[in-house]
C-alpha cells in the first residue's frame, strides 16, 4: 500500500492468495494455526488489510 499499485498488482495479489489457499487445502488447516504466537487480533488485521488492498486495485 505504501508504494502504490502497478498494472500487475491485482494479478500478483490474487496469485499469492491462491497459493495460500492451495497450501491450506493440502495441509487441512489454516497457515495461521501453525504459528500460535500470532494473535487473533493480528489475523483480523490481515483480513482488513486484504480488504484495503482489494479496494486499491478496484480504484485503478
Amino acid at each position: 500500500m505504501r508504494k502504490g499499485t502497478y498494472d500487475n498488482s491485482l494479478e500478483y495479489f490474487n496469485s499469492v492468495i491462491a497459493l495460500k489457499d492451495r497450501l491450506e487445502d493440502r495441509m487441512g488447516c489454516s497457515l495461521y494455526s501453525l504459528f500460535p504466537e500470532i494473535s487473533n487480533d493480528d489475523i483480523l488485521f490481515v483480513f482488513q488489510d486484504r480488504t484495503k488492498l482489494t479496494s486499491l486495485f478496484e480504484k485503478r
Side-chain angles (χ1 to χ4, degrees):
M1 288 176 23
R2 215 177 4 187
K3 296 180 182 180
T5 60
Y6 301 95
D7 292 339
N8 64 343
S9 293
L10 180 58
E11 182 180 334
Y12 174 78
F13 179 74
N14 287 334
S15 297
V16 170
I17 298 302
L19 177 59
K20 176 190 161 295
D21 292 342
R22 281 182 33 212
L23 285 170
E24 289 178 339
D25 285 343
R26 291 189 76 173
M27 292 186 319
C29 66
S30 169
L31 283 174
Y32 301 114
S33 68
L34 300 175
F35 303 96
E37 63 273 6
I38 299 175
S39 72
N40 286 338
D41 290 340
D42 291 335
I43 294 170
L44 178 62
F45 291 134
V46 167
F47 291 110
Q48 289 173 348
D49 288 345
R50 184 186 296 182
T51 303
K52 288 179 190 175
L53 283 169
T54 305
S55 70
L56 280 176
F57 299 138
E58 290 170 354
K59 290 179 183 176
R60 290 192 115 238

